[in-house]
Amino acid sequence: MAVMKAKHLDALKAHKYSVVNNSFLDNNVMPAFWNWLVQKLPMWVAPNLLTVGGLAFIFGPSLLLAFQCPGFTCSEDLSPIYLGAAAFGVFVYQTMDALDGKQVEF
């Protein structure tokens, strides 16, 4: 039994990925921050190491949340510390991922 019909497979093959970024921060504020920060990095750091290092900041808050709320089915309010840690983790991951690309260009 086929998972997808032939017409859907053809449409999937014809799909072209494109991104339109209209974010004010991503277009105006963050590039200056990323350019400043990438100049502070040692050039021997592999770009992929930056992304993987940033990923650790996603796993950390996720593990904290897993201990606070096993099964991720909490009905009570979470502590602002956990929510702040998650927001910080996303910011660090986004920054490290952007530095990955900026370091390659630099």
Side-chain angles (χ1 to χ4, degrees):
M1 180 167 86
V3 176
M4 295 180 74
K5 295 181 180 178
K7 68 178 183 175
H8 295 133
L9 286 173
D10 292 338
L12 188 61
K13 288 177 187 173
H15 175 73
K16 298 218 184 310
Y17 179 76
S18 68
V19 175
V20 177
N21 187 357
N22 295 322
S23 167
F24 175 79
L25 285 176
D26 264 359
N27 290 329
N28 301 306
V29 177
M30 297 307 287
F33 172 66
W34 293 329
N35 287 332
W36 172 80
L37 200 54
V38 78
Q39 292 174 5
K40 308 294 182 205
L41 287 173
M43 292 308 291
W44 56 264
V45 175
N48 289 338
L49 182 62
L50 295 171
T51 302
V52 172
L55 190 60
F57 283 89
I58 295 293
F59 286 137
S62 297
L63 290 173
L64 287 174
L65 183 60
F67 286 121
Q68 173 72 20
C69 182
F72 299 105
T73 57
C74 286
S75 58
E76 71 273 359
D77 290 335
L78 288 172
S79 168
I81 293 172
Y82 294 104
L83 300 176
F88 179 73
V90 170
F91 174 76
V92 170
Y93 175 73
Q94 175 189 6
T95 300
M96 298 292 269
D97 191 42
L99 291 179
D100 172 328
K102 293 285 184 186
Q103 188 188 33
V104 170
E105 294 172 8
F106 200 66

